Amino acid sequence: MARGLLWLFLLLVVVLAGSFWWLRGSTTPRTTGQVNLPAGVVRGPLSVTRDAWGVPHIRAATDEDAVFALGFVHWQDRAWQMDFQRRVAQGRLSEIVGKPALKQDKFLRTWGFQRAAQSALPALSPQSRKLIAAYTAGVNAAMKQGKTALEFQILRYTPEAWSDVDSVSWSKLMAFDLGGNYEAEVTGAAVVKQLGQAGLEQVFPPYPVGAPTILSADELGKTAQAQQNGGEVAQLEKDTIRELQANLRAARALGMQAVPGKGSNDWVIGGSRTASGKPILADDPHLGLTSPMLWYLADIQGDKLKAIGASIPGLPAIVIGRNERVAWGVTNVNPDVQDLYLEPENATLTTRQEVIKVKGQPDVTLTVQESRHGPIISGEGAEGLGQRVALRWTALMGGDTTLDAFLGLNYAANWPEFTAALERYVAPSQNFVYADVDGNTGYYAPGKVPIRRGWDGSLPVKGDGSREWTGFIPFGELPHTFNPADALVVTANNKVVPDSYAYQLGNSRNWAEPYRAQRITQLLEAKRTGLTVEDVKRVQLDTHSLVWEDLKTYLLSARPDGETSGQALDLLRNWDGSMTVNSVPATIFEMWLLKLQEMGRDELKDKIDINSLAVKNQLANNGEFCGPDQTCQDDLSRTLKAAVDDLTTRLGAEVNGWEYGKLHQVASNHRIFADVKPLARIFNHTAPTPGGTNTVNVARPDHDTFRQTHGPSYRQIVDLSDLNSSVYIGSLGQSGNPLLPHAADQQPMWVAGQYLPMSTNPKDWGKTSVMTLK
């Protein structure tokens, strides 16, 4: 029997090992040797050298061949991600996962992301169309190589050929993820319904007076007082608000939501402040942290195109990075480019039918209605319509040329060429910082931003013609500066311009809290000259909490309710505010802050949480959310007790064992298999992480799990005095295949605050593998 069991065990090991190696072999792309392509597909010598971290360095005789190779390697390493992204844009997830995705597909079809992408493609320049076509050819050539992503095998389907419009469609999803104030309008309508207009500032506090703006009045030049806002807003019924909130839940299930941890930092330092005498440019976009990661590092060189940085699989360009002369970075401007219109009963509506295929079930027909403002999004299609609420949004307008702008940036050699490219930009509006090898620095906030006369767009309005856009801010009058006198531009999703600006980008509640911008400026101003790349790294990785500094006077005045609360409070008294993985006070503070952010739920009768600034305002003014029959002192005691009880349940009764990293861990999860055991163990990636709410190295804990789901998805620091001394890093790895080493080999470095060489010089690439396409 023992021998039999031993043989059975050995047989099982052999079968499992054989299955693993078969799966690995069938999903591993070719990265060495010669790949033969049909005659005429590429024009000249074309090589892809992958460095020690799997980053491709593409060398081609023409730009079209270089972009062809980018499409080829994108599909090799991220086929599933690309197919998933286009299925999201198309609203075709139910085809592969069945009924659980039907609500998402209905939301996506109603909004019309794919239709918007189809309308954008013809508007692009001939040069862009040529590069997109080359990229499409590269993707489809890789698709024919006989390797397939693990997800395709698990879900048992074969992806369709790539098309040119697929390269436009993902930009529409990014516009939704980053642009507009739809969620704020829906939440605002719910707040007004419960608390009246005065309740808005309790939930969405206005940007603090004196807090930093990206540009000063001096840098703006010509200004005029913006128009005052006023006028009647539309009153939405509770059922309508619930229908609109269902849209938000569908978006959240796809990882697209407005969360405090989503934002970005970028800044550019002029040569007068640096040790080298040339600019340094830094950027770290804060987005959802997923498996695989959003970004794909790449170095692309053709005859004119020579760019390196972060690309997005599906897009034929470097989105953030540098070329041989110019570097750029982006953060979200978040201007108000969306409006909800309550259409009158006699509004003219057009109707279309959308057929959604559902795996294992009959097709579902969705009836979608549109007004002159845009799609009716209150309800599922035209079913059960009560109040008809339409969405107007710049990203759904025809003729979007944003992809022209990104491709143009890859070629820009100076400020005039850079700004000429940005003139084609539509959505989502971004804060672009700029630096070049000649020592110039600059900033521009491009995009289509609507002009509203007499209303601010913060709440739904009537669609009776009284609240219409009257045009867009002219490109030349959008916020920008070139070679600012103080040689410093810092952006962290904070307010862009002072109130003297001639137009409205958004209302006073539209901007991120100023903590990150304040801290970055504070650290950079502490060393007025002689700044180096190492200095900039320390700023980018800073985890000191200005939120703690803002709240500690109030928190430390709390009366502890029980021995454990007292121990927790004692630990906070001696804390320096640094959010490190081994810190116990960091755990206590962030959990307490999460409980404090819930303080308005009773009054709002909804699961709406307030931000750190709103918490401070409540504590400082004994606000309404502290309750009608108690003071904020009572609420401080109650929430501290709730926090320590929660931590005791999660981490045990020993307070000194509540180290931050035990609970606060990054959750880079798969978009489909995140909760499917045992697949989650293969596809999800986690690690303890530093940082917290509104730290520069932002890592706000999720309200329910305490995990970090959003943060610096990519980091770069570009040294314009020696471009190959620049550095970058992704949040996970180059490969989307969890069976391969490059699936998550960047994550330990990313957590530890380390970087890869952002270099086009082979001596910096480490061990390489070379593939030629012929």
Side-chain angles (χ1 to χ4, degrees):
M1 184 179 293
R3 282 196 298 270
L5 288 172
L6 178 61
W7 280 110
L8 186 61
F9 174 74
L10 291 174
L11 179 62
L12 182 61
V13 169
V14 169
V15 169
L16 288 173
S19 299
F20 173 81
W21 286 109
W22 176 82
L23 268 177
R24 199 173 190 272
S26 66
T27 59
T28 301
R30 183 172 185 174
T31 58
T32 60
Q34 180 172 296
V35 176
N36 292 318
L37 302 170
V41 172
V42 296
R43 301 182 187 181
L46 180 54
S47 67
V48 178
T49 302
R50 282 180 169 86
D51 64 23
W53 304 277
V55 177
H57 299 268
I58 296 167
R59 299 295 180 265
T62 69
D63 292 352
E64 289 87 347
D65 283 359
V67 173
F68 174 95
L70 182 65
F72 194 95
V73 297
H74 273 172
W75 187 262
Q76 280 191 308
D77 290 331
R78 302 288 188 86
W80 158 254
Q81 179 185 13
M82 292 171 68
D83 191 64
F84 175 77
Q85 287 172 177
R86 67 171 166 174
R87 282 186 176 277
V88 171
Q90 294 166 351
R92 293 177 56 198
L93 291 173
S94 299
E95 289 182 24
I96 59 171
V97 299
K99 191 175 180 181
L102 187 56
K103 286 187 180 298
Q104 282 71 46
D105 281 349
K106 287 182 175 180
F107 152 68
L108 295 162
R109 297 287 188 98
T110 300
W111 281 55
F113 295 101
Q114 184 71 3
R115 288 164 58 86
Q118 289 167 339
S119 76
L121 186 64
L124 297 175
S125 70
Q127 168 70 359
S128 294
R129 294 291 300 272
K130 185 164 61 173
L131 291 174
I132 291 169
Y135 180 86
T136 297
V139 173
N140 290 327
M143 210 178 290
K144 294 174 182 176
Q145 295 302 306
K147 303 294 182 179
T148 182
L150 188 57
E151 290 93 339
F152 298 148
Q153 298 189 28
I154 294 170
L155 294 170
R156 298 182 183 179
Y157 80 96
T158 301
E160 300 167 358
W162 195 259
S163 72
D164 289 357
V165 75
D166 294 332
S167 290
V168 182
S169 62
W170 183 244
S171 67
K172 294 297 175 185
L173 271 299
M174 290 300 294
F176 176 84
D177 203 28
L178 294 172
N181 77 327
Y182 161 70
E183 183 160 350
E185 283 198 43
V186 175
T187 305
V191 170
V192 169
K193 194 76 178 173
Q194 199 63 39
L195 301 180
Q197 197 89 9
L200 280 176
E201 290 196 359
Q202 294 193 65
V203 178
F204 305 106
Y207 196 75
V209 175
T213 54
I214 295 172
L215 298 184
S216 66
D218 291 341
E219 289 168 329
L220 283 176
K222 179 184 175 183
T223 61
Q225 187 63 38
Q227 285 202 357
Q228 294 298 310
N229 301 310
E232 185 181 358
V233 299
Q235 299 299 315
L236 300 187
E237 297 169 359
K238 287 185 178 179
D239 287 346
T240 305
I241 293 172
R242 278 196 289 269
E243 289 169 353
L244 294 170
Q245 288 172 332
N247 266 324
L248 294 176
R249 288 192 293 273
R252 288 185 185 121
L254 296 167
M256 299 185 296
Q257 73 238 58
V259 297
K262 184 185 290 183
S264 304
N265 308 315
D266 68 7
W267 61 89
V268 61
I269 308 165
S272 63
R273 289 176 173 260
T274 68
S276 68
K278 288 295 178 81
I280 298 175
L281 182 146
D283 188 18
D284 55 294
H286 305 159
L287 297 166
L289 301 173
T290 58
S291 172
M293 65 183 187
L294 171 67
W295 304 101
Y296 183 89
L297 311 186
D299 167 19
I300 318 168
Q301 294 196 16
D303 55 333
K304 297 184 183 66
L305 175 62
K306 300 181 188 299
I308 181 172
S311 67
I312 295 178
L315 298 181
I318 296 298
V319 177
I320 303 172
R322 67 168 180 86
N323 57 33
E324 291 185 316
R325 290 191 51 81
V326 162
W328 66 95
V330 300
T331 67
N332 200 23
V333 176
N334 196 35
D336 187 352
V337 295
Q338 294 176 336
D339 279 310
L340 296 179
Y341 285 90
L342 177 58
E343 301 292 10
E345 290 185 8
N346 62 351
T348 301
L349 303 178
T350 60
T351 301
R352 72 173 189 272
Q353 303 293 321
E354 295 274 350
V355 178
I356 303 173
K357 296 185 179 298
V358 184
K359 185 177 182 180
Q361 295 195 16
D363 295 351
V364 172
T365 300
L366 177 73
T367 302
V368 179
Q369 294 190 330
E370 289 195 21
S371 74
R372 62 193 178 90
H373 295 116
I376 304 296
I377 61 171
S378 51
E380 291 183 350
E383 298 174 13
L385 283 177
Q387 289 184 311
R388 292 173 167 84
V389 179
L391 170 78
R392 189 172 190 188
W393 180 25
T394 54
L396 294 183
M397 299 188 310
D400 185 347
T401 52
T402 300
L403 202 49
D404 276 344
F406 275 116
L407 285 167
L409 295 182
N410 284 234
Y411 287 93
N414 50 47
W415 179 250
E417 291 180 12
F418 187 81
T419 55
L422 291 182
E423 200 161 357
R424 304 283 287 171
Y425 201 96
V426 176
S429 183
Q430 299 289 291
N431 295 299
F432 280 84
V433 291
Y434 165 95
D436 64 36
V437 294
D438 295 327
N440 299 302
T441 61
Y443 162 86
Y444 223 111
K448 293 288 187 185
V449 181
I451 297 172
R452 303 174 180 87
R453 302 293 185 190
W455 58 295
D456 67 3
S458 62
L459 290 169
V461 294
K462 294 181 178 180
D464 58 5
S466 63
R467 297 288 179 271
E468 299 296 333
W469 298 353
T470 58
F472 301 96
I473 300 175
F475 179 76
E477 296 180 43
L478 287 165
H480 66 277
T481 187
F482 183 60
N483 287 331
D486 64 353
L488 182 65
V489 177
V490 172
T491 92
N493 314 116
N494 53 314
K495 188 174 180 180
V496 179
V497 290
D499 292 338
S500 58
Y501 181 57
Y503 302 93
Q504 282 193 328
L505 297 177
N507 66 79
S508 64
R509 304 181 298 274
N510 217 56
W511 316 110
E513 301 154 271
Y515 297 109
R516 284 183 287 117
Q518 287 172 331
R519 180 63 176 169
I520 294 166
T521 304
Q522 179 186 94
L523 292 170
L524 293 175
E525 292 282 8
K527 186 177 180 181
R528 299 282 301 178
T529 60
L531 287 163
T532 66
V533 167
E534 292 303 314
D535 292 321
V536 174
K537 285 181 183 178
R538 283 189 285 273
V539 178
Q540 205 168 59
L541 302 170
D542 182 73
T543 61
H544 181 77
S545 175
L546 289 189
V547 181
W548 163 248
E549 288 192 13
D550 228 12
L551 295 179
K552 68 180 178 181
T553 300
Y554 308 104
L555 301 189
L556 293 178
S557 71
R559 296 184 295 266
D561 181 359
E563 183 181 348
T564 309
S565 291
Q567 287 180 272
L569 208 55
D570 286 342
L571 286 169
L572 286 172
R573 291 188 201 284
N574 299 313
W575 183 43
D576 64 358
S578 184
M579 311 288 297
T580 59
V581 292
N582 58 2
S583 171
V584 173
T587 316
I588 298 167
F589 169 65
E590 284 288 356
M591 184 62 81
W592 194 358
L593 181 59
L594 290 177
K595 303 303 180 186
L596 285 165
Q597 288 173 333
E598 298 174 1
M599 66 196 310
R601 288 183 178 183
D602 288 343
E603 288 77 11
L604 292 165
K605 294 180 170 47
D606 202 344
K607 196 177 178 180
I608 295 173
D609 299 322
I610 60 177
N611 66 20
S612 313
L613 198 56
V615 168
K616 179 192 174 183
N617 291 346
Q618 291 292 319
L619 298 178
N621 302 305
N622 200 39
E624 183 180 339
F625 292 164
C626 290
D629 302 320
Q630 61 183 17
T631 67
C632 282
Q633 276 295 321
D634 298 324
D635 228 30
L636 282 169
S637 299
R638 179 189 62 79
T639 51
L640 175 58
K641 178 71 161 55
V644 298
D645 287 350
D646 197 336
L647 289 171
T648 300
T649 300
R650 296 178 193 236
L651 295 173
E654 179 51 54
V655 175
N656 289 320
W658 295 350
E659 293 182 358
Y660 195 50
K662 290 181 179 178
L663 199 57
H664 184 262
Q665 302 188 358
V666 64
S668 291
N669 289 346
H670 195 271
R671 285 290 173 83
I672 294 290
F673 300 143
D675 300 316
V676 181
K677 297 179 180 179
L679 294 178
R681 295 183 180 180
I682 300 171
F683 287 96
N684 294 350
H685 298 276
T686 189
T689 47
T693 301
N694 290 325
T695 55
V696 177
N697 184 4
V698 73
R700 173 185 176 271
D702 177 76
H703 211 96
D704 297 318
T705 66
F706 210 79
R707 293 207 160 191
Q708 178 187 357
T709 58
H710 294 74
S713 54
Y714 165 76
R715 296 185 182 115
Q716 76 171 23
I717 302 172
V718 182
D719 182 353
L720 276 298
S721 70
D722 180 4
L723 290 173
N724 283 336
S725 294
S726 305
V727 293
Y728 58 178
I729 189 77
S731 63
L732 200 59
Q734 289 289 98
S735 177
N737 187 341
L739 305 179
L740 299 182
H742 293 312
D745 58 341
Q746 290 178 49
Q747 188 182 65
M749 300 178 67
W750 175 80
V751 170
Q754 299 169 349
Y755 297 78
L756 306 179
M758 187 182 189
S759 175
T760 59
N761 190 333
K763 74 178 181 60
D764 297 322
W765 298 349
K767 185 179 179 181
T768 61
S769 60
V770 181
M771 174 181 67
T772 58
L773 302 174
K774 189 173 182 181

